[in-house]
Amino acid sequence: MEFSGIVGGIPFISLFIFTGILVNLIQVSCYLTIWPVSKSTFRRINGAITELLWLEVVWLMEWWSGFEVKVYTDAKTCQLMGKEHAIIMPNHVSDSDTLLTWILAQRVGCLRSALTIVKKTTRYLPVFGWTNWFSESIFLDRNWAKDESKLKSSFEALSDYPTPFWMTIFVEGTRLTADKLVEAQSFASSKGYPIPKNVLIPKTKGIVTAVQSLRSFVPAIYDVTIAIPKHQPFFPTLLTFLKMQPCKVVVRIKRYSTKDLPESDQGIAQWCRNRFIAKDELLENFAATGTFDEEEITEFRRSTKSLIVTLIFAGIFLVGGWIFLKRLSSGWQYPTLATIIGSVAIVVHIFIEFTKMPPPKIKATQICTQ
């Protein structure tokens, strides 16, 4: 039930909002005073404080809910991750996919520069959207006439980024649902493409623009395949994490050099479509075997850093909250506490509603599996 998620989410979201407000205040101050003087210095300071906030989300997933990630990749990719600028190209299966990329980025040391392309409405989410705006994530209208110039200018602005960054692009444009998969299968059939069973047809304009704009200073694309093991009781979502329901995802990462990609827009678009055809086959094999062919990174374990940071901020929050309430007159303590809890519950509800899957229009049995 969503109610249990709201109740369970109040402690974490209270801490997240408290930390986020502190982070946002520092971001505003630095943006007004440091950005006009030195973008590089601002980006380094902003990255350091943003990482503190995102580490709380990593803690929520791994320590609070027991979320587990298994990563499969080759030795060369493993060595380069976190040491170079990269475009991240995952399939989109859940509202937690962006948070999953944060876990991957944290493990290789670039959580502070983990950027993503998201829909414009995300900007208005309390703390989360504001922090992403200061971190130079890109917010799109989902209207190519407006988004093309926005993407190009945003990508070009990253050319002097001082630390290795990850730019995540969900080229399918939306999460995988039964309805969307049927639409993708119908479109593939009309175009003579292979019929997908586990992914959607990629929308290639964004990735083409990314490659053409970034390839001069971004050396790699990481093709990320996210697989959800069968027969686990819980599906990874924000609500699942808030309710302390453990689940697992398996990730396969394949590195491609941007210099080796086709030069033409059409060639890049076809390369992207081919990658998603391959993803679909990989996911079919995973469904049968429960694994990928690449070597598993066995040292990919829960983050101790996220635990330490969260405990420190939780201590500051509890002590500060206790002092604040004690300074209030006795008649105002309980009404103030009730108001704060009620406000946080509303924010939790907003986050859950924002990330909730739309109700299916068709039954899963209607999905074409030809």
Side-chain angles (χ1 to χ4, degrees), residues 148-175:
E148 183 179 12
S149 59
K150 173 66 174 177
L151 280 174
K152 288 181 177 179
S153 61
S154 298
F155 289 146
E156 290 169 2
L158 297 174
S159 61
D160 57 351
Y161 207 89
T163 57
F165 67 78
W166 280 10
M167 174 60 73
T168 299
I169 304 177
F170 295 103
V171 297
E172 293 161 293
T174 187
R175 290 168 287 181

Side-chain angles (χ1 to χ4, degrees), residues 149-210:
S149 59
K150 173 66 174 177
L151 280 174
K152 288 181 177 179
S153 61
S154 298
F155 289 146
E156 290 169 2
L158 297 174
S159 61
D160 57 351
Y161 207 89
T163 57
F165 67 78
W166 280 10
M167 174 60 73
T168 299
I169 304 177
F170 295 103
V171 297
E172 293 161 293
T174 187
R175 290 168 287 181
L176 179 70
T177 65
D179 296 336
K180 294 294 184 181
L181 182 56
V182 167
E183 292 177 10
Q185 291 172 337
S186 177
F187 178 80
S189 178
S190 68
K191 294 291 185 178
Y193 297 159
I195 306 298
K197 300 179 182 178
N198 308 282
V199 297
L200 304 180
I201 305 298
K203 299 176 180 179
T204 58
K205 289 181 179 179
I207 192 68
V208 168
T209 302

Side-chain angles (χ1 to χ4, degrees), residues 292-359:
F292 290 117
D293 292 336
E294 284 76 11
E295 182 179 356
E296 179 186 354
I297 305 177
T298 55
E299 68 271 16
F300 207 87
R301 297 291 182 258
R302 290 192 298 185
S303 166
T304 304
K305 186 177 182 180
S306 70
L307 176 62
I308 293 172
V309 168
T310 302
L311 288 176
I312 290 173
F313 275 109
I316 296 171
F317 174 65
L318 290 173
V319 172
W322 182 80
I323 293 173
F324 171 74
L325 290 174
K326 291 294 288 185
R327 288 185 175 180
L328 295 175
S329 61
S330 58
W332 283 98
Q333 289 178 351
Y334 290 111
T336 300
L337 184 60
T339 300
I340 293 173
I341 293 175
S343 300
V344 173
I346 292 173
V347 174
V348 176
H349 177 70
I350 290 172
F351 273 100
I352 291 174
E353 286 297 314
F354 189 85
T355 58
K356 184 185 293 184
M357 287 283 197

Side-chain angles (χ1 to χ4, degrees), residues 100 111 166:
L100 169 61
L111 176 59
W166 280 10

Side-chain angles (χ1 to χ4, degrees), residues 113-312:
S113 51
L115 315 178
T116 190
I117 298 175
V118 292
K119 56 186 177 182
K120 187 176 181 178
T121 51
T122 305
R123 179 189 301 176
Y124 306 108
L125 284 176
V127 175
F128 180 88
W130 309 333
T131 305
N132 269 299
W133 185 86
F134 282 110
S135 299
E136 298 180 78
S137 286
I138 303 173
F139 301 88
L140 298 183
D141 290 283
R142 292 185 170 180
N143 180 328
W144 186 246
K146 297 179 180 179
D147 292 338
E148 183 179 12
S149 59
K150 173 66 174 177
L151 280 174
K152 288 181 177 179
S153 61
S154 298
F155 289 146
E156 290 169 2
L158 297 174
S159 61
D160 57 351
Y161 207 89
T163 57
F165 67 78
W166 280 10
M167 174 60 73
T168 299
I169 304 177
F170 295 103
V171 297
E172 293 161 293
T174 187
R175 290 168 287 181
L176 179 70
T177 65
D179 296 336
K180 294 294 184 181
L181 182 56
V182 167
E183 292 177 10
Q185 291 172 337
S186 177
F187 178 80
S189 178
S190 68
K191 294 291 185 178
Y193 297 159
I195 306 298
K197 300 179 182 178
N198 308 282
V199 297
L200 304 180
I201 305 298
K203 299 176 180 179
T204 58
K205 289 181 179 179
I207 192 68
V208 168
T209 302
V211 171
Q212 298 289 38
S213 301
L214 297 173
R215 72 194 313 165
S216 63
F217 59 94
V218 174
I221 290 185
Y222 296 159
D223 182 15
V224 178
T225 302
I226 303 172
I228 311 294
K230 289 183 177 180
H231 311 305
Q232 63 176 351
F234 305 114
F235 188 79
T237 66
L238 176 61
L239 184 59
T240 298
F241 302 145
L242 294 175
K243 293 169 69 173
M244 300 179 67
Q245 296 173 333
C247 52
K248 177 193 296 185
V249 300
V250 182
V251 177
R252 183 248 193 193
I253 304 174
K254 178 69 174 177
R255 181 186 185 275
Y256 293 91
S257 171
T258 53
K259 293 182 178 180
D260 295 336
L261 266 58
E263 293 294 331
S264 68
D265 291 357
Q266 295 82 0
I268 297 170
Q270 187 58 52
W271 175 88
C272 178
R273 285 190 286 267
N274 290 343
R275 297 285 65 75
F276 272 78
I277 292 171
K279 278 183 193 287
D280 198 39
E281 295 174 355
L282 282 169
L283 290 168
E284 279 293 294
N285 292 334
F286 178 86
T289 64
T291 188
F292 290 117
D293 292 336
E294 284 76 11
E295 182 179 356
E296 179 186 354
I297 305 177
T298 55
E299 68 271 16
F300 207 87
R301 297 291 182 258
R302 290 192 298 185
S303 166
T304 304
K305 186 177 182 180
S306 70
L307 176 62
I308 293 172
V309 168
T310 302
L311 288 176
I312 290 173

Side-chain angles (χ1 to χ4, degrees), residues 40-77:
S40 177
T41 302
F42 170 82
R43 283 165 165 168
R44 291 181 184 277
I45 296 173
N46 182 70
I49 60 174
T50 298
E51 181 181 17
L52 297 176
L53 183 61
W54 293 163
L55 281 169
E56 290 185 355
V57 179
V58 174
W59 172 85
L60 171 74
M61 298 170 71
E62 295 188 321
W63 292 93
W64 179 261
S65 74
F67 183 64
E68 181 182 347
V69 182
K70 277 191 172 184
V71 178
Y72 291 81
T73 190
D74 59 89
K76 180 181 178 181
T77 301

